[in-house]
Amino acid sequence: MDPAEVEFLAEKELVKIVPNFTQDKIFLIGGDIGPFSPSLPVSVPLWMAVNLKQGQKCRLVPPDWMDVEKLKDKKQEEMDSKFFTAMPSDQYMEVTQLILKSATDDIPHADEIRTLVKDIWDLRIAKLRSSIDTFVRSDATHAKLNHLTLMELNTVRPFLTQALDHMHVLRNNISGRIQSTQD
Amino acid sequence: MSSSINDHFFSIDSILATQERLPCKVELPIFRLGYLDSATDGNDLLPGTKLEMPFWMAQSLCSRRRHIISIELPKQYRGSYREILDADANVVDLHKMGPYYYAFGTQLLRFDHADGSDIAKSLLMTFQMRFRKIMDSSRNSFNEDTCSLTNKLDETERSLFKAGQKELNDFQRWETRETEKLMTSKMVRNHRKRKRAALEEIS
């Protein structure tokens, strides 16, 4: 999957905005949104929030977890734990990217948040890689990794599946099951 | 998938892997094929002649039913080379040892050779040892020349490396917001180029 596709999926995530215009309920396939009235917070999908923000029609309220203190705690937890910890949002990377790109002025300490999220991401990717390595070296046939997000999985998918394919063939060699030429 | 070492009938990789040379010894006289062995002038291949044959040919001449020739293991799959791989698989130049080291090794197991199970084990272990290096190098070389990283990899490993590079590039492009720029599709661009070339030819 392309990262852009993963991002597309993440755009369904709901975020709170404070609109500055009045509008009745909008009926969409994904559900009804609104009604909008000035300075009353309302939940909308991320794609709509980004769109409204670009038109200067709303102020974005950052999600609960997008906070310097909370992210610092999360980072520490991630560092201390040997395993993956549950992330506040399944799409933390994509949501951060989108919000920080379009609504930097609505997020307090945007720079710090960007760095922290990137740190957490790097920590998790390093963990992911070392667990893949242990998995490949061991003779295990399956592994269980909890709390991985879609984007993280997506960065290793084609590589990992190809490597496992290859190992499967090599394993079959040992057990003496050689595939015939034309199966 | 072109990368897989599963041998499919139409897979180019598999065809290339099975044309590796294999040292063989003729056990029964083969008539009128003397020209295969450049060392003799005779018309026939006599028993005891040693020569190299491509794998696909050796395969049909040496099986449980027919035993026209006997095969020897190529040197890169013999015990001494396996020991080198045992010691440290990361430094070995697998591309030199046969660009399709794993695929050819897998094919060799078809002859019920005494070393068969050892070779199979060595292939798996080699891959497991080299995996980390391939993973790390493919994911940490952004925008740089990768020749020095890939020239020791066997073809299967290279396709793995490419997959890793693609992921890295895709992700970097997304992170720097390159993906949202609209671009001409490759097909259209090439089509235009071709059209221009055709026009120039005419004029």
Side-chain angles (χ1 to χ4, degrees):
Chain A
M1 239 185 345
D2 204 74
E5 287 164 19
V6 181
E7 182 189 280
F8 177 77
L9 294 178
E11 282 177 338
K12 277 199 284 196
E13 189 99 327
L14 291 179
V15 287
K16 278 220 159 66
I17 56 163
V18 182
N20 57 14
F21 60 97
T22 317
Q23 167 95 44
D24 284 340
K25 256 191 178 178
I26 311 177
F27 304 102
L28 298 177
I29 297 177
D32 305 345
I33 294 156
F36 300 91
S37 49
S39 65
L40 275 182
V42 56
S43 282
V44 298
L46 188 55
W47 59 267
M48 185 181 263
V50 169
N51 195 291
L52 290 173
K53 178 72 195 168
Q54 277 168 351
Q56 303 287 323
K57 290 202 163 61
C58 72
R59 191 165 57 78
L60 217 141
V61 182
D64 291 339
W65 52 268
M66 203 177 275
D67 172 71
V68 176
E69 283 311 309
K70 281 193 183 140
L71 283 175
K72 267 187 187 151
D73 289 350
K74 192 76 228 171
K75 185 180 159 189
Q76 197 55 46
E77 190 188 338
E78 190 68 48
M79 266 158 116
D80 296 341
S81 162
K82 228 179 100 195
F83 304 105
F84 295 96
T85 57
M87 290 309 288
S89 159
D90 274 343
Q91 283 114 356
Y92 70 98
M93 192 66 185
E94 300 94 301
V95 172
T96 320
Q97 270 270 347
L98 281 171
I99 291 187
L100 287 187
K101 185 195 60 151
S102 54
T104 332
D105 45 335
D106 291 343
I107 314 290
H109 312 292
D111 299 349
E112 258 176 274
I113 284 172
R114 194 191 298 272
T115 329
L116 279 169
V117 169
K118 183 75 184 150
D119 283 352
I120 295 175
W121 167 267
D122 286 344
L123 273 173
R124 288 170 70 90
I125 291 295
K127 243 185 229 180
L128 179 59
R129 274 207 246 164
S130 59
S131 34
I132 289 175
D133 186 46
T134 1
F135 172 52
V136 166
R137 273 166 198 258
S138 71
D139 284 329
T141 48
H142 71 281
K144 187 178 173 186
L145 293 174
N146 290 331
H147 306 308
L148 267 179
T149 66
L150 185 56
M151 195 55 126
E152 286 158 355
L153 273 180
N154 198 52
T155 55
V156 290
R157 188 179 282 132
F159 184 80
L160 185 61
T161 45
Q162 235 184 72
L164 292 181
D165 239 17
H166 189 71
M167 287 221 323
H168 177 68
V169 176
L170 296 179
R171 280 227 178 89
N172 276 355
N173 287 343
I174 294 182
S175 52
R177 270 181 294 136
I178 297 165
Q179 289 126 346
S180 69
T181 320
Q182 285 170 44
D183 59 352
Chain B
M1 211 192 295
S2 62
S3 58
S4 138
I5 60 171
N6 290 327
D7 48 343
H8 282 291
F9 189 67
F10 291 115
S11 150
I12 297 289
D13 280 334
S14 161
I15 295 171
L16 288 175
T18 50
Q19 55 129 29
E20 287 302 297
R21 281 155 168 263
L22 207 58
C24 312
K25 200 172 137 201
V26 180
E27 298 283 346
L28 293 173
I30 309 175
F31 300 108
R32 293 179 178 238
L33 282 177
Y35 62 87
L36 283 180
D37 185 9
S38 49
T40 65
D41 291 331
N43 240 347
D44 312 328
L45 280 179
L46 300 174
T49 320
K50 284 189 175 173
L51 75 165
E52 286 192 327
M53 282 191 184
F55 170 84
W56 51 266
M57 195 155 145
Q59 192 189 5
S60 44
L61 293 178
C62 171
S63 63
R64 264 183 226 123
R65 272 175 289 140
R66 278 181 293 193
H67 206 78
I68 304 172
I69 59 166
S70 62
I71 64 120
E72 279 169 39
L73 284 179
K75 65 176 190 310
Q76 63 265 39
Y77 294 97
R78 284 191 205 146
S80 51
Y81 273 78
R82 289 205 301 272
E83 272 165 32
I84 301 176
L85 285 170
D86 247 340
D88 188 359
N90 276 321
V91 294
V92 180
D93 189 344
L94 273 195
H95 199 257
K96 215 167 110 195
M97 283 166 67
Y100 295 92
Y101 187 78
Y102 297 106
F104 188 45
T106 308
Q107 297 285 353
L108 278 181
L109 300 174
R110 283 166 192 270
F111 306 109
D112 288 319
H113 200 276
D115 282 0
S117 66
D118 285 342
I119 295 178
K121 274 180 207 145
S122 145
L123 287 177
L124 179 63
M125 193 223 48
T126 310
F127 182 70
Q128 285 176 333
M129 296 245 284
R130 291 166 69 96
F131 176 76
R132 179 76 197 229
K133 200 179 152 205
I134 302 170
M135 176 165 68
D136 286 352
S137 64
S138 74
R139 314 234 46 213
N140 286 318
S141 48
F142 183 60
N143 269 341
E144 54 182 274
D145 188 19
T146 51
C147 281
S148 59
L149 295 170
T150 53
N151 65 5
K152 281 190 177 175
L153 302 181
D154 127 291
E155 286 297 326
T156 328
E157 292 171 337
R158 279 186 191 187
S159 81
L160 205 55
F161 184 90
K162 259 185 226 147
Q165 281 263 292
K166 190 180 172 296
E167 284 159 21
L168 175 73
N169 283 326
D170 280 353
F171 184 73
Q172 292 282 352
R173 267 164 47 81
W174 174 75
E175 217 181 13
T176 50
R177 315 305 307 171
E178 287 279 322
T179 33
E180 45 185 48
K181 284 182 196 152
L182 294 180
M183 281 191 291
T184 339
S185 111
K186 225 180 207 163
M187 198 203 61
V188 175
R189 213 164 50 206
N190 287 342
H191 181 68
R192 270 193 208 138
K193 267 186 210 158
R194 235 173 280 149
K195 228 161 136 189
R196 204 185 305 144
L199 280 176
E200 276 163 11
E201 254 170 47
I202 293 167
S203 58

